[in-house]
Amino acid sequence: MKKLILASVLALTAVAAVAQISDPPVESPDAVEEQRPGRSLMEEGAKLLLRGLLSEAEPAMRDLQEFADQMGPAMKSLTDQMGPALADIMAMIDDIKNYSGPELLPNGDIIIRRAPDAPKFVPSDPPREIDL
């Protein structure tokens, strides 16, 4: 990305230098905007830079949209299945800052321990087992 920006700036600098010593450019018939009188070379350069960046980013944005379209149903299924379980877990804890990071035990269990300096926890409901 840095190389693209550097190349764009150098190209714009060269275009600006040539534009100052040559005749004014002739607008192509397919130009979207007409050049306003008094438009500075900086404005033109910025416009060209942004158009170039947008054209470079367009394929990546298209790929991202395709990925989102493919992953949308899987993400909905995940939230439908895991959402209630996560809500139950969140109801069992008071403040996430009162807990240490997860610990993976040799048997595969994951334990999230309460931090030693955390205040005493008083649950609002009696503890219960979560069905997954």
Side-chain angles (χ1 to χ4, degrees):
M1 186 67 170
K2 290 180 182 178
K3 291 180 182 179
L4 174 66
I5 293 173
L6 180 61
S8 299
V9 169
L10 290 175
L12 290 174
T13 304
V15 168
V18 170
Q20 288 178 351
I21 59 173
S22 66
D23 294 332
V26 177
E27 289 289 325
S28 63
D30 60 336
V32 177
E33 288 184 24
E34 293 182 22
Q35 185 166 344
R36 298 183 315 225
R39 179 175 276 183
S40 73
L41 290 175
M42 290 298 289
E43 286 179 285
E44 285 296 318
K47 187 171 88 173
L48 288 172
L49 176 66
L50 291 175
R51 281 188 184 163
L53 290 174
L54 286 174
S55 68
E56 289 288 326
E58 186 177 356
M61 295 301 290
R62 195 175 20 239
D63 291 345
L64 181 62
Q65 181 63 44
E66 290 172 6
F67 177 74
D69 292 342
Q70 291 172 356
M71 293 305 295
M75 291 303 292
K76 175 149 179 32
S77 174
L78 178 67
T79 57
D80 289 345
Q81 292 175 7
M82 292 300 295
L86 289 175
D88 288 343
I89 289 171
M90 293 306 291
M92 291 181 181
I93 63 173
D94 56 346
D95 186 357
I96 197 73
K97 292 182 233 169
N98 293 330
Y99 294 86
S100 301
E103 178 184 339
L104 180 64
L105 298 180
N107 66 356
D109 288 351
I110 299 172
I111 295 183
I112 302 174
R113 298 181 192 274
R114 191 156 177 87
D117 59 344
K120 182 167 175 54
F121 176 63
V122 180
S124 58
D125 295 327
R128 63 183 180 88
E129 192 169 317
I130 297 175
D131 296 324
L132 293 180

